[in-house]
Amino acid sequence: GDSGHITEADTNSEIYTVPHYAQMLKSFLTNQHLNNVIAVGHSLGGHVTTALSKIFNLEALVNIQNTPINTSADVANALSQDPSFQQLFNPEVTDEGLSALASHFFKGSPSPTFSDDFKNSDPNCRKNLVISMTSGIVLDEIQYLKELNIPYKLIVGKNDPFTSTAYIKSLNLSDSVILLDSLHYPMLEIPQEINSTLSKY
């Protein structure tokens, strides 16, 4: 919630899209002269790190609670269509909507700052993401990940009501997928198990 807003996003719908985030990461990594990078992305961040792997040489890719898709048409099967999750894609947010979202996302009470952090985020990040998806952005992730020539793991909390475990299994990503007993944020619920899983692979 403390990141500055990009004012150009008011009129430029290419900002705050998956390719835009990936390019930002590439620029950062390049400017910092970082090598031997292992990218770890969570949820939407997993789409970003997957896109990053196409334009930057990574040592490995680990995505957590991410649903690989080829086109926006896959979203209906990949993610729950429960109205509480629509808050993630609406520029305008409400206390009631955020409360419903938090009740699905977190085991127990969310961080006290969750609501304020969400409200402080740039509404254009949600607006432009939806525009990019509905305008036909093709991520082409599924086959790409199957043929990825660096180590890749997808860690999924199978109790997450937002993510369809059946969809994940249908992708046939074989031994790349690791299912754990958690909701959307396994890093918060089972940090030791996440750490040991990352260390193992």
Side-chain angles (χ1 to χ4, degrees):
D2 290 332
S3 299
H5 295 187
I6 303 176
T7 56
E8 293 89 342
D10 290 336
T11 55
N12 185 348
S13 60
E14 294 183 4
I15 295 174
Y16 294 133
T17 61
V18 168
H20 175 253
Y21 290 129
Q23 285 290 344
M24 289 181 68
L25 277 176
K26 179 184 177 181
S27 296
F28 172 79
L29 295 169
T30 301
N31 291 338
Q32 296 297 314
H33 307 289
L34 296 175
N35 298 303
N36 304 317
V37 173
I38 298 174
V40 181
H42 172 257
S43 197
L44 172 62
H47 298 297
V48 176
T49 50
T50 297
L52 174 66
S53 72
K54 298 179 180 181
I55 58 176
F56 186 87
N57 291 326
L58 297 174
E59 289 295 308
L61 174 64
V62 179
N63 288 337
I64 301 172
Q65 219 57 41
N66 174 246
T67 49
I69 61 175
N70 279 339
T71 72
S72 57
D74 295 326
V75 173
N77 292 323
L79 302 175
S80 168
Q81 300 305 298
D82 188 296
S84 63
F85 294 117
Q86 297 311 305
Q87 195 71 86
L88 294 169
F89 308 105
N90 291 334
E92 303 303 320
V93 298
T94 66
D95 289 332
E96 294 79 8
L98 290 179
S99 177
L101 179 64
S103 70
H104 285 79
F105 261 177
F106 299 100
K107 184 177 182 179
S109 299
S111 163
T113 65
F114 169 73
S115 181
D116 288 340
D117 288 344
F118 200 108
K119 291 176 182 177
N120 287 338
S121 65
D122 191 338
N124 284 316
C125 71
R126 295 181 290 281
K127 181 196 76 173
N128 287 0
L129 179 63
V130 171
I131 290 174
S132 71
M133 295 181 70
T134 56
S135 65
I137 185 173
V138 178
L139 297 177
D140 289 328
E141 293 175 324
I142 299 171
Q143 192 61 34
Y144 170 77
L145 290 170
K146 289 180 179 180
E147 299 172 356
L148 195 62
N149 60 2
I150 59 173
Y152 163 68
K153 291 295 178 183
L154 173 59
I155 302 174
V156 176
K158 59 186 177 182
N159 302 323
D160 178 14
F162 186 44
T163 303
S164 170
T165 305
Y167 171 83
I168 295 294
K169 291 179 178 178
S170 74
L171 300 181
N172 297 318
L173 289 170
S174 63
D175 59 353
S176 295
V177 177
I178 302 168
L179 297 176
L180 300 178
D181 287 315
S182 71
L183 299 178
H184 195 70
Y185 292 97
M187 308 85 68
L188 301 178
E189 293 179 45
I190 49 174
Q192 291 182 337
E193 190 169 353
I194 283 289
N195 289 340
S196 63
T197 299
L198 291 176
S199 299
K200 184 186 303 181
Y201 297 102

